[in-house]
């Protein structure tokens, strides 16, 4: 038998038509044939109803069809199950079709309902039941969800959102902001390997290919800036390069106002964000008299001390979004970046088709990104993004209660506030506590369908059943731990306000590091020119020992090395007394030593290239202070320094 059976004959009919046809025959003396033709009813069916009406009377008849189906759950129980599934989905813990079938089996068994034997054998409901359940509940469908991290789920709550809207309202009233003074900034990654579009091919193929430039793409960062009045600023791109080549990278797009930046990873940095802020000042003409509000996430590159100082000097007020909520509160993420990626993928597909057997590089992306940005960042999308986030027009109640359901999983008190007598709903086993009183209709008949013309009033009674949320409780996190470690949680801040800036300075200020365990070291000791050198163990605290060999006449003070000076330092290997020499630049003076940035020697020359390695060096490990370095501006010696002294006596690395 097919899963969806189609009847060859139509067995349903309007109830009023049948009643009017019977009345016409009995009271108006119309023939059965003419009455059937008038009301478009089969003659044989009308004849049966007329005979029944003559026997029991029209008032005691039911003229509606009496076909019933064998259902496991009543309509009220299915309604409760449907509401349970929808709520689980809103909490981001939706149930798969298999999980729904298992829940239906447990739901029916807990309520002592009759169900097919195959349910008991498989420990779940059948596919036919699930198909029928979805057809009877048209508000349900099977969807592929979007992966959402726990941080985004739990961070989008009223505790985080309400302070953001409080600060937004404060700024709008403080500066009397209009739609042309509110901006949103965010970055998105753009890769050289596009997401291929659907194509038309022969039906039945299991594998269909489409050309892309390479297996793994190269990424550049695009900075999008939009205004609440529906306009967008020219984009900014950060290329993964060390040098900026305007001719190759921008391809004439500089004339349109676009900006190109470089960094070795292609990501945004504090230094590059200053250039982005200058780009904003150039196109918005903001000043202390004409302020603007810039809403952005709280990435460390956005809220650096230098960025905050530049914004304060140029009339830019920085308001950060609550952490991990940009999928709900960021206008660019809501309505602009989605269409932008779609249009960019279409443009990349078109480029691959028009340039067969050629590789799409990062130098080809800016023109394609510019076209996609012009199409996506239109006034309709931009205004819709600010509207749906409640930023402009200002609406702090833009988010419904259902949208906060995802954070209800972690809405729980701390361990100290949790009463000891509170029961855990997942451990309740008492049958009496699982009952939810609900008024139900009589259970549908399980007998086969048969036409009945007698009007029988079904007996109703107040019955009770176990609800789905008791059979399978909603997800709930364990009590929160009070001894939380790690950095303090971030929140929405007005970064350009004085208290917030002072707090940023405190967090950036280095604290005095803990004492470092001092190791033993070997020192060269000679008694005369004829005696060979011999090694002896000495404590690192012994300042009277000569550890510099032939540098006795060197005049320097290793206890007062200025910040920015270069020095030769000693670094000891792990669990070893053998020291290695490095050239380092002093970044900060601390109580017990210096924080230095290391340079690595470029063999065989004595040029030194800066590295990302930073460490603490004790005062006694400063071997020699070097003079100011010399810098070669030729491209191949970029970021290298060298010194006008002889360094061959050190085994520099």
């Amino acid at each position: 038998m097919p899963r969806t059976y189609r009847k060859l004959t139509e067995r349903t009919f309007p109830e009023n038509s049948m009643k009017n046809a019977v009345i016409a025959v009995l009271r108006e003396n119309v023939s059965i044939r003419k009455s059937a033709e008038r009301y478009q009813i089969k003659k044989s069916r009308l004849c049966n109803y007329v005979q029944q009406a003559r026997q029991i009377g029209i008032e005691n008849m039911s003229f509606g069809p009496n076909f019933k189906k064998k259902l496991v759950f009543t309509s009220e129980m299915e309604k409760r199950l449907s509401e349970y599934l929808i709520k689980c989905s809103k909490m981001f813990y939706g149930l798969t079709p298999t999980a729904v079938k298992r829940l239906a089996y447990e739901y029916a068994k807990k309520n002592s309902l009759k169900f097919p034997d195959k349910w008991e054998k498989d420990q779940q409901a059948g596919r036919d039941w699930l198909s029928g359940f979805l057809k009877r509940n048209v508000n349900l469908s099977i969807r592929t969800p979007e992966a959402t991290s726990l941080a985004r789920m739990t961070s989008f709550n009223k505790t985080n959102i309400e302070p953001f809207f409080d600060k937004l309202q404060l700024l709008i009233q403080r500066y009397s902001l209009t739609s042309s003074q509110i901006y949103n900034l965010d970055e998105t990654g753009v890769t050289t390997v596009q997401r291929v579009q659907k194509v038309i091919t022969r039906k039945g193929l299991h594998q269909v290919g489409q050309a892309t430039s390479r297996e793994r793409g190269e990424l550049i960062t695009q900075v999008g800036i939009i205004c609440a009045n529906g306009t967008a600023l020219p984009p900014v791109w950060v290329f993964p390069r060390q040098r900026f080549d305007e001719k190759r990278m921008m391809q004439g797009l500089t004339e349109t106002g676009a900006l190109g930046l470089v960094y070795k990873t292609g990501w945004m940095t504090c230094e590059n964000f200053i250039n982005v802020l200058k780009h904003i000042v150039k196109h918005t003409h903001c000043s202390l008299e004409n302020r603007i509000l810039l809403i952005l996430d709280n990435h460390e590159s956005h809220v650096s001390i230098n960025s905050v100082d530049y914004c304060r000097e140029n009339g830019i007020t920085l308001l950060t979004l609550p952490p991990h909520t940009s999928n709900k509160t960021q206008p660019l993420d809501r309505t602009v970046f989605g269409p932008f990626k779609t249009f960019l993928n279409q443009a990349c597909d078109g480029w691959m088709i028009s340039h067969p057997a050629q590789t799409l590089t990062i130098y080809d992306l800016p023109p394609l990104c510019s076209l996609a940005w012009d199409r996506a960042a239109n006034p309709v999308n931009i205004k819709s993004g600010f509207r749906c986030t409640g930023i402009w027009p200002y609406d702090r109640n833009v988010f419904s209660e259902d949208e906060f359901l995802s954070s209800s999983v972690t809405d729980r008190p701390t361990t100290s506030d949790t009463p000891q007598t509170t029961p855990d709903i997942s451990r309740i086993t008492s049958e009496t506590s699982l009952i939810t009183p609900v008024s139900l209709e009589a259970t549908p008949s399980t007998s086969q369908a048969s036409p009945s013309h007698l009007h029988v009033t079904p007996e109703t009674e107040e019955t009770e059943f176990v609800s789905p949320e008791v059979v399978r409780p909603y997800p709930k996190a364990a009590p929160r731990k009070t001894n939380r470690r790690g950095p303090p949680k971030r929140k929405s801040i007005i970064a350009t306000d004085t208290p917030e800036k002072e707090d940023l300075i405190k967090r950036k200020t280095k604290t005095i590091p803990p004492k470092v365990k001092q190791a033993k070291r070997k020192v060269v000791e000679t008694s005369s020119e004829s005696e060979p050198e011999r090694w002896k163990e000495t404590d690192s605290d012994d300042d009277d020992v000569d550890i510099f060999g032939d540098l006795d006449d060197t005049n320097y003070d290793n206890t007062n090395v200025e910040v920015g000076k270069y020095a030769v330092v000693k670094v000891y290997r792990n669990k070893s007394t053998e020291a290695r020499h490095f050239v380092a630049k002093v970044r900060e003076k601390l109580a017990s030593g210096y924080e230095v940035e290391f340079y690595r020697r470029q063999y065989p020359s004595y040029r030194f290239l800066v590295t990302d390695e930073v460490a603490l060096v004790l005062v006694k490990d400063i071997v020699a202070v070097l003079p100011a370095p010399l810098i070669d501006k030729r491209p191949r010696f970029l970021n290298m320094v060298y010194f006008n002294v002889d360094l061959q006596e050190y085994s520099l690395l």
Side-chain angles (χ1 to χ4, degrees), residues 274 277-278 281 306-314 316:
I274 299 292
L277 293 175
K278 295 178 180 178
V281 173
N306 295 334
S307 301
V308 172
D309 290 338
Y310 183 86
C311 291
R312 289 164 63 97
E313 295 170 0
N314 292 273
I316 301 177

Side-chain angles (χ1 to χ4, degrees), residues 362-381:
I362 60 173
Y363 304 111
D364 302 315
L365 281 178
L368 302 179
C369 292
S370 180
L371 293 175
W373 180 253
D374 292 340
R375 295 178 63 187
N378 57 63
V380 176
N381 289 348

Side-chain angles (χ1 to χ4, degrees), residues 583-598:
V583 170
K585 181 180 178 180
V586 177
R587 294 181 53 177
E588 188 175 358
K589 185 177 180 180
L590 304 174
S592 58
Y594 302 94
E595 183 185 87
V596 298
E597 180 181 31
F598 289 99

Side-chain angles (χ1 to χ4, degrees), residues 314-448:
N314 292 273
I316 301 177
T317 303
L318 293 181
L319 175 62
T320 64
L321 297 169
H324 307 295
T325 62
S326 60
N327 59 323
K328 292 285 189 178
T329 58
Q330 183 103 260
L332 279 165
D333 284 344
R334 293 293 297 269
T335 59
V336 178
F337 279 158
F340 167 71
K341 293 294 182 70
T342 300
F343 294 140
L344 179 60
N345 287 326
Q346 295 175 358
C348 292
D349 275 341
W351 191 95
M352 294 297 298
I353 294 174
S354 58
H355 298 77
Q358 294 187 26
T359 301
L360 180 68
T361 65
I362 60 173
Y363 304 111
D364 302 315
L365 281 178
L368 302 179
C369 292
S370 180
L371 293 175
W373 180 253
D374 292 340
R375 295 178 63 187
N378 57 63
V380 176
N381 289 348
I382 294 174
K383 292 182 179 180
S384 177
F386 281 94
R387 187 185 311 111
C388 69
T389 54
I391 296 176
W392 191 266
Y394 177 79
D395 183 9
R396 66 183 305 125
N397 300 317
V398 67
F399 301 112
S400 63
E401 294 293 333
D402 289 345
E403 295 182 82
F404 292 108
L405 277 177
S406 60
S407 62
S408 64
V409 179
T410 54
D411 286 346
R412 69 272 201 249
T414 59
T415 305
S416 58
D417 298 335
T418 303
Q420 299 296 328
T421 59
T422 301
D424 187 359
I425 191 172
S426 62
R427 298 181 180 179
I428 295 177
T429 57
S430 176
E431 294 293 336
T432 58
S433 63
L434 299 178
I435 303 300
T436 303
V438 180
S439 177
L440 296 180
E441 299 178 356
T443 306
S445 174
T446 58
S447 59
Q448 295 182 352

Side-chain angles (χ1 to χ4, degrees), residues 266-279:
W267 298 345
M268 180 59 67
T269 60
C270 299
E271 293 76 12
N272 278 335
F273 189 68
I274 299 292
N275 296 324
V276 175
L277 293 175
K278 295 178 180 178
H279 177 76

